[in-house]
Amino acid sequence: MKFIKIICLFLLAFTSTRVYAQVRTIRGHIVDEKNIALPGVTVSEEGNLRNGAISDENGDFVITLKSVNNAIRFTMVSYITLTLQADAEKKMAVKMKPDTKGLDDVVVVGYSTQKRITNPGAVSSIKAAEIENIPTSSIQNTLAGRLPGFTAIQRSGQPGSDAAEFFIRGVNSMNNDNQPLIIVDDIQYTYAQVAQLDPNEIETITILKDASTTAIYGVRGANGAMVITTKRGMISKPSINVSTQFGVNQVIQYPNYLDAYATAVLQNEAYINDSYKLASPLTLPWTAADLKMFKDGSDPYGHPNVNWQNELLKNSSTQSNYNVDIRGGNSKVKYFTSFGYFKQNGLLRDFTPTNPDDDGVEPNYFYNRINFRSNLDITPTKTLNIRFDLNGRFETINNPNGPIDAAGLFKELISFRNLSAFSMPIVNPNGTYGYANQSWGNGYVNPISRLANSGYKRNYNNNFNIVAGANQKLDFIAQGLEAKLNVSYASNINEHRNLQRDPATLPAFYYNSANNTYSSKGNNRFPVFTQNVGNDVFNNSVNSQLSLNYDHNFGIHRVYALALVNDISTINGGNVPVNFRGFLVG
C-alpha cells in the first residue's frame, strides 16, 4: 500500500511538471515585406486556434501556448498565411508577404481588359471552368448565386421559357425594364440571345456594377452591364473535347389540392355565408347524399374524386446536353469550333392520341436547341490580328394545344371552375372521355383528351451572327497604341407552325350514373387539324465599332486611354431602321 502511494505521488509530480512545462509565453514582432510594423495580424496556436491574440499598432504580440505544439499560425487578409515554430528563449521576428493571388488576374471590362489590381471599380467575374458542368439550359440560371450583385428571378419552369430574368445590383433604375446591358465579344446582345448561349462556349463572364466601370457604355449601362467573352483558339496541338450531360429536373413541392368531399363541403359553406344576399330560399349545391358519395367513393362516375395534378403531371423530367469542340492553332492561325445539342422535356405525362390518324403528333412540352460556333484568329504579320467569328442557335419550343386557359395548363389547374376534383371522371365506364356537364360545371372537355388530341403549338427561333474585325498595333507611332475595327451582323428569325384542333370540338360524352345513359357534347368524330404557319419576328442588326486604344506601363504606373465610335442600325421587319451612334473619349 505504501509502495502504491509513492508511485501516485511520483506520477502527480511528473504531470504537474509536464503541465507547467507546456504553458509558456511567446513574444514577437511582425512586419510586412517592407519591414513596416503590421498591426491587426491574428496570432493563434496551431491545433488550438481558439487560443489567439492580435498584434498591436506596433506589430508586437504576446501569446501563451497551452499545449505541447510549438507551432504558431499568423493570418491576415491579403497576406499569405504563415506557420512558424515558437521560440520561448527569444523574441520572434515574423515577416509576412502579401497574397498577390488573383490581383494579376485579367478581367474583361468595357472594350478592354484590366488586371484586378489596377481596376478600382465594382467588378465580379467568373470563369468557364466554374459553370460549364452545371446542367442548366441558360446562362442566367447558371450564374444564380455565383456572382455578388447578380440577382436572378426565374418566373417559369416551362421548357424553352425557363430562362431567368436577371438584374445587377437590384431593381432601382429609372429605366422601366431595368435590364442590364449585355455585351458578348464586344457585340450587344438581347435577353433572348444570351439565354440561347451554350455555357460550353463561354470563356469568362464579368458583371460591371458601378458608374466607374459602366460609364464607357453611356446611358445604355445605367442598369449595369454583363460582359461575356467566348472561347478562342490557342497555340497548341488540336484538342478535341467531348462532353455529355444528363440531368433530372425534380419538382420540389406541388400545391396540395382539396379532395372532392372537402371542396363540396366548403362550397356549401360558401353558399350559406352568402345566403343574406339571396331573396329566394337557400338551395345548397350539394345534398347530404352527395357528400356521402364523395366521401366513400361509392359513385366514382357521378361523384368523382380526381387529383388532376397527379393525373396530368409527373414529379420529374429529364434533360440532356451534348457538346463537341476543337481548339488549337499556331502562331499564324488559331481556332475554336464548337457544336452542341440540348434537349429538355416537360413535366406533362405522355398521353396517347385517341385517334389513330394522329400518330406522330407530339402534344407535349419540350425544348430542343442546336448551337454552333467558330472563332478564328489570323495573324498575318506581327502587328496585325484578324478576327472572324461565326455562330448561330436554332431552337424548337413545343407546347400542347390542349389547355383552354390562355395562360396554360398550370393556370388551369389552380382554377376551381376549370378542374375541381369533382368536375368529371378520368374516363367514362365505356372508355370514352367525358366533360363537365353538371349544373355547376363549365362544359370543359376532359383535359387528358384535350392534351392528347388537340395538337401542338411549335415555335422555331433562329439566331445567326457574323463578326469580322481587325486589330492593328501602332507601336511605330507610340508604344502601346493600337487601332481596332469590328463589324457584326446579327439576325433573328422566329417562326411558328401550329397543328391544332379546337379543344371544345373534340368528341366527349357525359355519363349519367343515375340512369346509365350517355349524352354527346357535340361532335362524334375528330375534326381535321388546321395548320397555321407564319413569321413572328424578323430583324437584323449591323454594329460597327472603330476605336483607338492606348495602353502602356511606365514603371509601376499604367496609362490607358480609349477613343471609340460605335454605330448600331437595327431593322425590325418592314419598319423604319432604328439607329444608334455613340462617341467615346476616355
Side-chain angles (χ1 to χ4, degrees), residues 337-578:
T337 302
S338 174
F339 179 84
Y341 174 73
F342 179 85
K343 180 175 179 62
Q344 185 179 37
N345 297 310
L347 292 172
L348 184 65
R349 295 187 183 276
D350 296 321
F351 301 114
T352 304
T354 307
N355 186 11
D357 296 336
D358 296 349
D359 185 39
V361 178
E362 297 183 71
N364 210 329
Y365 295 98
F366 69 77
Y367 170 62
N368 295 338
R369 183 183 67 210
I370 296 175
N371 298 68
F372 72 89
R373 175 175 293 275
S374 175
N375 291 346
L376 188 65
D377 294 293
I378 304 173
T379 310
T381 68
K382 292 183 178 180
T383 61
L384 176 63
N385 182 66
I386 298 174
R387 160 194 175 189
F388 185 78
D389 300 346
L390 180 67
N391 63 82
R393 289 162 293 281
F394 308 101
E395 294 181 311
T396 302
I397 303 174
N398 197 83
N399 296 320
N401 183 50
I404 292 180
D405 193 290
L409 175 63
F410 298 93
K411 180 66 177 296
E412 189 175 339
L413 274 170
I414 65 175
S415 173
F416 164 76
R417 286 295 182 186
N418 290 349
L419 286 180
S420 58
F422 47 64
S423 58
M424 68 193 86
I426 298 175
V427 292
N428 294 320
N430 63 355
T432 60
Y433 288 111
Y435 66 98
N437 191 40
Q438 294 89 335
S439 59
W440 45 265
N442 47 38
Y444 283 178
V445 175
N446 188 295
I448 295 178
S449 178
R450 288 189 273 119
L451 292 168
N453 300 298
S454 297
Y456 58 78
K457 302 174 184 178
R458 188 170 297 172
N459 295 323
Y460 299 91
N461 303 330
N462 305 312
N463 178 253
F464 187 76
N465 302 277
I466 301 176
V467 183
N471 191 350
Q472 175 66 58
K473 294 182 179 180
L474 303 175
D475 291 340
F476 63 92
I477 299 177
Q479 191 73 25
L481 184 65
E482 62 182 21
K484 181 187 293 185
L485 173 66
N486 279 332
V487 179
S488 73
Y489 171 82
S491 68
N492 291 287
I493 303 175
N494 298 348
E495 304 171 319
H496 70 266
R497 179 180 181 271
N498 301 336
L499 195 66
Q500 299 171 282
R501 291 191 183 105
D502 183 355
T505 64
L506 296 175
F509 303 88
Y510 171 68
Y511 173 68
N512 189 332
S513 61
N515 53 24
N516 194 28
T517 60
Y518 290 85
S519 58
S520 173
K521 188 178 188 299
N523 293 329
N524 294 326
R525 300 177 59 184
F526 284 95
V528 297
F529 281 114
T530 59
Q531 183 170 308
N532 183 4
V533 179
N535 295 327
D536 301 318
V537 174
F538 178 78
N539 60 51
N540 60 77
S541 176
V542 178
N543 188 353
S544 303
Q545 298 173 2
L546 178 63
S547 64
L548 194 64
N549 301 333
Y550 180 73
D551 190 358
H552 190 61
N553 292 327
F554 297 91
I556 62 174
H557 304 287
R558 183 193 183 208
V559 177
Y560 175 78
L562 171 67
L564 179 138
V565 179
N566 187 18
D567 186 276
I568 303 175
S569 178
T570 302
I571 301 176
N572 191 354
N575 297 327
V576 176
V578 177

Side-chain angles (χ1 to χ4, degrees), residues 40-75:
V41 178
T42 300
V43 183
S44 54
E45 183 179 1
E46 187 74 16
N48 184 19
L49 298 182
R50 293 184 178 181
N51 180 29
I54 302 294
S55 60
D56 60 21
E57 65 275 8
N58 299 318
D60 295 326
F61 71 91
V62 178
I63 184 173
T64 301
L65 300 184
K66 300 179 180 180
S67 67
V68 296
N69 195 343
N70 288 324
I72 300 178
R73 178 183 294 184
F74 302 88
T75 59

Side-chain angles (χ1 to χ4, degrees), residues 152-200:
I153 303 175
Q154 184 175 344
R155 303 187 185 276
S156 172
Q158 181 177 327
S161 302
D162 61 347
E165 295 182 54
F166 63 91
F167 310 97
I168 295 176
R169 282 198 167 178
V171 181
N172 53 13
S173 171
M174 295 178 65
N175 190 331
N176 289 332
D177 58 16
N178 286 282
Q179 294 183 359
L181 178 68
I182 303 169
I183 302 294
V184 180
D185 291 338
D186 292 337
I187 306 302
Q188 183 173 341
Y189 269 43
T190 65
Y191 254 32
Q193 287 175 309
V194 76
Q196 297 171 346
L197 281 175
D198 187 340
N200 291 285

Side-chain angles (χ1 to χ4, degrees), residues 234-349:
M234 59 179 62
I235 299 177
S236 67
K237 294 181 179 180
S239 173
I240 301 177
N241 180 58
V242 180
S243 64
T244 61
Q245 295 177 353
F246 179 82
V248 177
N249 298 315
Q250 182 72 37
V251 176
I252 298 176
Q253 183 176 355
Y254 274 127
N256 294 320
Y257 295 99
L258 296 177
D259 62 11
Y261 171 75
T263 306
V265 169
L266 291 178
Q267 191 176 13
N268 278 353
E269 288 186 9
Y271 270 67
I272 295 172
N273 293 337
D274 289 343
S275 61
Y276 70 93
K277 301 178 182 178
L278 304 176
S280 58
L282 176 63
T283 301
L284 296 178
W286 305 107
T287 66
D290 291 326
L291 296 178
K292 179 179 182 303
M293 285 184 281
F294 280 135
K295 190 170 186 179
D296 60 24
S298 57
D299 182 19
Y301 297 104
H303 294 77
N305 182 19
V306 181
N307 187 326
W308 290 109
Q309 180 177 265
N310 292 345
E311 297 297 331
L312 298 176
L313 303 177
K314 300 179 290 187
N315 290 323
S316 63
S317 65
T318 60
Q319 67 180 38
S320 54
N321 191 17
Y322 309 93
N323 184 268
V324 179
D325 63 64
I326 304 175
R327 196 176 194 179
N330 52 40
S331 59
K332 295 295 183 182
V333 179
K334 297 184 284 292
Y335 54 86
F336 172 80
T337 302
S338 174
F339 179 84
Y341 174 73
F342 179 85
K343 180 175 179 62
Q344 185 179 37
N345 297 310
L347 292 172
L348 184 65
R349 295 187 183 276

